[in-house]
Amino acid sequence: MDTAGFNKELLSFLQASPTAYHATSEMARRLTDAGFVALDERDSWNLEAGKKYFVTRQDASIIAFTTGNGEFARHGFRMAGGHTDSPALKVKPNPEMTGKGYFQLGVEVYGGPLFSTWFDRDLSLAGRVTFKDESGVLRNALVNFEKAIAIVPSLAIHLNREANTGRNINPQKEFPPVLGRLSKDEKADFRQILIEELAKNGDKAASVLDFELFFYDTQAPAIIGLNDEFIASARLDNLLSCFTSMQAMIDAGDSEYPTLLVCNDHEEVGSNSATGAQGPFLRQVLERICGSSEALTRAMQNSVMISADNAHGIHPNYADKHDGNHGPMLNEGVVIKINAKQRYATTSETSSLIRDLYAKEDLPIQAFVGRTDMGCGSTIGPLTASELGVRTLDIGLPTFGMHSIRELAGTEDAVALAKVLTRFFKTESVIPH
């Protein structure tokens, strides 16, 4: 796929994926179209060599894998990983607020968003709703209002003269979005609104029991820049990696060697869940594939995990926030992420592997190490490495505005990484001798 075609599909994926639930659903659809067979964790699996499969957990995490020649212990897995969730505003269970006749919803902060970027944006709402249908059966359904239904208005500078000098944002007080006006005797009933929204999609709900819903920015992803250098979108962290890794696995076709992609939920809030990287999902799937504890251990020692999560591109207005020798540039290649405190899981073995793969594709590559006097984020990489004992590499595509409601990446970087990951998925030997 050429760069323009790749980025067109990427933007389509981003637009279809306002939440982790929708991202997982969209990945499942694309994998199905590519010949992958859906598995159910509740069923017995009868896996065959040379086949392609995927499995989802709780609608928000997904693992896709190919069995290759079926010699898992001998050849291991070529694995890639990312996460499906992004920072957002999540609706509270009893959210209705009616101050001064305005209909608002109470929210809590999910992850670590850049607070200031959530003001004055056209917001919609999406996620998962659990309801009882007209027969009394409990069901789940995904909802997406799609159109702009809410906004978090800023306070005018005339009423806050310090707005541009030292603003402290109180999320409890300042973040409840405004959805509309209520008439004098009108009562807000958010669950009834959800029943009506479900009905638009053919889901007849007698009552809504609960929900996991997130506000998101309705502005569509776009290619921008004088020469179309940049991708501007919400949720590039980390759907950019999820799409790129998935597309590489699809492009690798019927690789002779086993491959695996895992995209976990809850990375932005610590990964400690049934669907997160610190939970049992990946290990349990690998145990079922390998068939025994010994086979799994042998397989992991012949495997490499590439954890792909966004990297901080050096910002021209804040260049002093980077180490002078490690300032990644947009459109100059993927970034190897290194940290002495194991916030990233990269080793000399795994970094050498990716350097070699990039060299074979004649593509540029970069490295990131944070300033010694500053803290460092983390990824699913160290969690996966410590859980499975697998050699792990942390990489990322350079971006601006990480955790903003709208982030920025280069148009050349993702397609280049997809080419390299495709080669990785088809590589015979991934472990240095």
Side-chain angles (χ1 to χ4, degrees):
M1 190 183 300
D2 62 14
T3 299
F6 181 94
N7 286 329
K8 181 180 179 181
E9 288 300 312
L10 169 60
L11 265 59
S12 174
F13 174 76
L14 292 166
Q15 181 73 1
S17 307
T19 72
Y21 301 109
H22 291 82
T24 299
S25 176
E26 180 66 8
M27 292 179 74
R29 184 189 70 80
R30 288 173 179 259
L31 289 165
T32 299
D33 289 347
F36 285 71
V37 176
L39 299 172
D40 191 319
E41 288 194 276
R42 295 167 292 190
D43 296 336
S44 177
W45 294 356
N46 296 303
L47 305 178
E48 300 177 33
K51 299 294 185 179
K52 300 179 286 189
Y53 302 94
F54 72 89
V55 59
T56 65
R57 177 172 285 190
Q58 297 180 19
D59 301 323
S61 292
I62 187 167
I63 293 174
F65 62 93
T66 66
T67 53
N69 55 25
E71 297 183 27
F72 308 116
R74 178 184 175 190
H75 291 295
F77 292 84
R78 290 111 192 89
M79 301 193 291
H83 62 88
T84 56
D85 62 324
S86 300
L89 302 182
K90 184 179 182 182
V91 180
K92 292 182 175 180
N94 301 313
E96 293 91 347
M97 302 172 65
T98 56
K100 300 300 180 183
Y102 291 95
F103 176 34
Q104 297 175 267
L105 293 178
V107 293
E108 59 178 330
V109 175
Y110 179 90
L114 273 172
F115 282 2
S116 62
T117 64
W118 280 82
F119 289 87
D120 307 315
R121 307 291 297 189
D122 299 342
L123 303 178
S124 191
L125 193 62
R128 183 176 69 173
V129 177
T130 303
F131 63 95
K132 185 177 288 188
D133 68 15
E134 295 175 333
S135 300
V137 178
L138 288 179
R139 300 191 182 279
N140 288 325
L142 301 190
V143 298
N144 182 2
F145 284 74
E146 294 188 358
K147 73 172 187 175
I149 62 170
I151 192 168
V152 181
S154 293
L155 180 64
I157 195 168
H158 313 78
L159 304 177
N160 181 14
R161 294 294 183 179
E162 290 74 43
N164 292 332
T165 57
R167 183 180 184 183
N168 292 315
I169 297 171
N170 183 323
Q172 170 70 19
K173 179 181 178 182
E174 300 182 56
F175 269 169
V178 175
L179 282 76
R181 289 278 295 167
L182 295 172
S183 61
K184 185 176 181 180
D185 298 322
E186 187 178 2
K187 183 179 179 181
D189 188 344
F190 183 57
R191 282 172 167 76
Q192 182 58 39
I193 293 172
L194 292 179
I195 289 174
E196 295 168 4
E197 190 65 25
L198 286 166
K200 294 178 183 178
N201 298 324
D203 294 306
K204 297 181 179 181
S207 62
V208 168
L209 301 182
D210 216 335
F211 45 81
E212 294 176 89
L213 298 171
F214 302 82
F215 283 101
Y216 70 92
D217 184 10
T218 59
Q219 185 176 0
I223 303 295
I224 69 168
L226 283 174
N227 297 301
D228 294 338
E229 298 102 326
F230 309 119
I231 299 170
S233 177
R235 302 177 300 281
L236 290 179
D237 179 14
N238 185 232
L239 296 186
L240 185 59
S241 300
C242 291
F243 175 82
T244 302
S245 302
M246 175 191 66
Q247 191 60 53
M249 174 175 271
I250 291 171
D251 291 344
D254 298 323
S255 173
E256 181 181 353
Y257 309 104
T259 66
L260 183 143
L261 169 66
V262 55
C263 293
N264 294 109
D265 192 14
H266 296 145
E267 191 274 346
E268 298 292 358
V269 291
S271 295
N272 192 11
S273 71
T275 56
Q278 202 163 6
F281 186 29
L282 179 55
R283 171 176 280 276
Q284 289 174 345
V285 169
L286 283 168
E287 285 175 344
R288 298 182 74 169
I289 297 171
C290 293
S292 71
S293 177
E294 179 181 346
L296 173 58
T297 299
R298 291 176 60 198
M300 289 302 95
Q301 296 314 304
N302 286 312
S303 302
V304 168
M305 161 65 80
I306 296 180
S307 166
D309 206 341
N310 297 36
H312 298 292
I314 185 167
H315 194 306
N317 299 342
Y318 304 94
D320 60 339
K321 296 296 184 180
H322 282 73
D323 180 270
N325 291 336
H326 302 90
M329 303 286 290
L330 274 62
N331 285 324
E332 292 193 14
V334 77
V335 180
I336 301 172
K337 302 162 74 172
I338 302 164
N339 181 259
K341 297 180 181 178
Q342 289 296 295
R343 300 290 290 170
Y344 304 131
T346 303
T347 68
S348 63
E349 286 184 320
T350 57
S351 67
S352 296
L353 169 66
I354 199 71
R355 288 182 186 276
D356 183 54
L357 292 172
Y358 262 80
K360 288 176 179 176
E361 292 288 343
D362 194 26
L363 291 168
I365 194 167
Q366 308 178 82
F368 172 80
V369 179
R371 285 176 57 109
T372 307
D373 56 357
M374 293 180 65
C376 176
S378 191
T379 71
I380 69 168
L383 300 176
T384 305
S386 61
E387 172 66 19
L388 295 176
V390 63
R391 289 173 175 83
T392 301
L393 167 71
D394 268 301
I395 60 172
L397 298 175
T399 56
F400 289 158
M402 194 181 297
H403 288 200
S404 170
I405 201 170
R406 194 165 180 83
E407 300 162 323
L408 194 75
T411 50
E412 300 293 333
D413 291 328
V415 67
L417 176 58
K419 291 178 182 178
V420 171
L421 288 178
T422 300
R423 179 182 282 269
F424 167 67
F425 285 135
K426 299 170 74 172
T427 297
E428 178 179 1
S429 178
V430 293
I431 304 301
H433 298 294

